[in-house]
Amino acid sequence: MTHDRAPTLDDVARAAGVHKATASRALNPATRDQVRAETARRITVAARRLGYVPNTIARGLRTSRTAAVGVLIPDLTNPLFPPIVRGIQDRLEQNGYTALLVNTDGDEARERAEFAALRSRRVEGFIVATARRRHPLLTEAVREQISFVTVNRSVELPGVPAVVGDDADGVTQAVAHLRSLGHTRIAHLAGPQDLSTGAVRLRAFQHAAPSSPVVECAAYTEAAGRTAAGHLFEHFADTTAIVAGNDLIALGALAVICARGRSCPRDVSVVGYNDMPFADRFRPPLTTVHVPHHEMGAQGAQLLLERLRDPGSPARTVLLPARLTVRGSTAPVR
Amino acid sequence: MTHDRAPTLDDVARAAGVHKATASRALNPATRDQVRAETARRITVAARRLGYVPNTIARGLRTSRTAAVGVLIPDLTNPLFPPIVRGIQDRLEQNGYTALLVNTDGDEARERAEFAALRSRRVEGFIVATARRRHPLLTEAVREQISFVTVNRSVELPGVPAVVGDDADGVTQAVAHLRSLGHTRIAHLAGPQDLSTGAVRLRAFQHAAPSSPVVECAAYTEAAGRTAAGHLFEHFADTTAIVAGNDLIALGALAVICARGRSCPRDVSVVGYNDMPFADRFRPPLTTVHVPHHEMGAQGAQLLLERLRDPGSPARTVLLPARLTVRGSTAPVR
């Protein structure tokens, strides 16, 4: 892997037995599909063997393609996001693209600054997991014809591709499961209503269990779940089952049930949402609605890549199936 | 935020009341420290307010600085890595840098290809969380004078800065805790011995509990922990306490204890390593050695930034404190 001089594109072309122009096309993600797959593979192998380092930056200037995509997430340490990001990375990498990942911590000013910083790095488009239903920054992005897609949540704007879970169906399954166990006093600890997931899940709950108690959580966090569950039991002490807005809210509810000297699932059943990693190892193992997060990320990357290739293509919304996963936190009503 | 024309550096300089050259220096991460902090802040605020987008790529070509750093991790969905990555991102961002993150899945060929791809994107250096004790790619990187630091694990090469946990002290605390509960038949399910963490923890265990059983796990995974715990109980059925190489191995051991009709902590105590997110919510809540992973990432980014500013600076190893966190998976010997 050491050389007297850095290997050039000529060296790669010679080693692969192709024309220099062909080698150049094969080594550029934007033009790779103009070369036969077998030939492209031979050129890539030769380039790797020689330790050839194309200057992607210079290429970026010449073709205005950086093969980089900005990814906005709330917080990588929220267990929901690593599988989504991994799905995005895997699909982008297959296409020679890379992700520039930023955390916004739900802070609008920070999101705006990060978005501008990513644009200054000339990303070709964005994958946005921080969408709020009304989102001034995304409204401006649509106006400026910046390519982006949303994942997990959607924004209330026409023409924006999105990959989301089938939240309405997931909540409907959760309520049906609790009813089948004999529960009639079912409550919802709803997610924030400025997010599409919070709004869709609440609407589905109200449809499946009309006139049932609902407490809105300030955030999708364990702490917010604890606060909301406290309010719930103050006013509806006879609640026997809870549909939580997500798994972290469910964890907050479990803590409150325990603190009140009651037990899950003996006294109160709890259903989470997302099936976050290790939900099966919690005490009790959490009944929850599984969402295919890796697939969600991969599909989001796919939609964006299609958008970049053909900016005029119609905006699709991909709805991924939700699947209730029954574990130890739900039981027949006493 | 909309303009008739894109704002220029002149506009920013005028808005901030400074010379154009000063504005340029303040907006470039590589030269920001040549401008007074208060002035730099005023210029940055003006640039954000105007929506000024510097062309980082063009700057990259002129100064050969991309303000980008490659980050190699095994797998983002392993719960150990999101806090480390978040620490890296936070510190890089404070300095105007961005991380290009890749997953290697422990595959040497893939790591090599990703490393080459990141070099082609002209990253200024690397933060490596995939280090093996002997690592041909990193040996070549040292020879080629590529700037990099390792985090969590170290490589057996001189002159490579590293940020690691104090694994020897952590294991020593774990064994002392089990002894204080009266345990004498203590075993170690060791991590892979080609990784520094696996080797250092095993050596510390053998020092603290000489002639005790050790089974090496093929990987830091729950499945490998299950296999190793199976072997352990076949040969040493009277084991009353286990020091696991990490928390995932501990989860594998817990599954085996349960499958053999025994109970943790009543029959067997288990100590994990890392204090991964939600370890306190497991059944039973896991006694484990806490490692400050966010800090580890932040310090790793700091070491690399220092290295980039002054390539001749001596290579430091930063050892972060380990802290035993006692929960429900350890109890007095019966």
Side-chain angles (χ1 to χ4, degrees), chain B residues 174-186 205 207-210 212:
Chain B
V175 172
H177 166 61
L178 292 170
R179 282 205 196 293
S180 77
L181 293 169
H183 292 279
T184 54
R185 292 191 298 277
I186 307 173
F205 178 80
H207 187 79
S212 296

Side-chain angles (χ1 to χ4, degrees), chain B residues 126-141:
Chain B
F126 291 86
I127 299 172
V128 178
T130 55
R132 296 183 303 284
R133 290 163 68 197
R134 286 163 194 208
H135 204 130
L137 178 66
L138 295 182
T139 306
E140 292 165 24

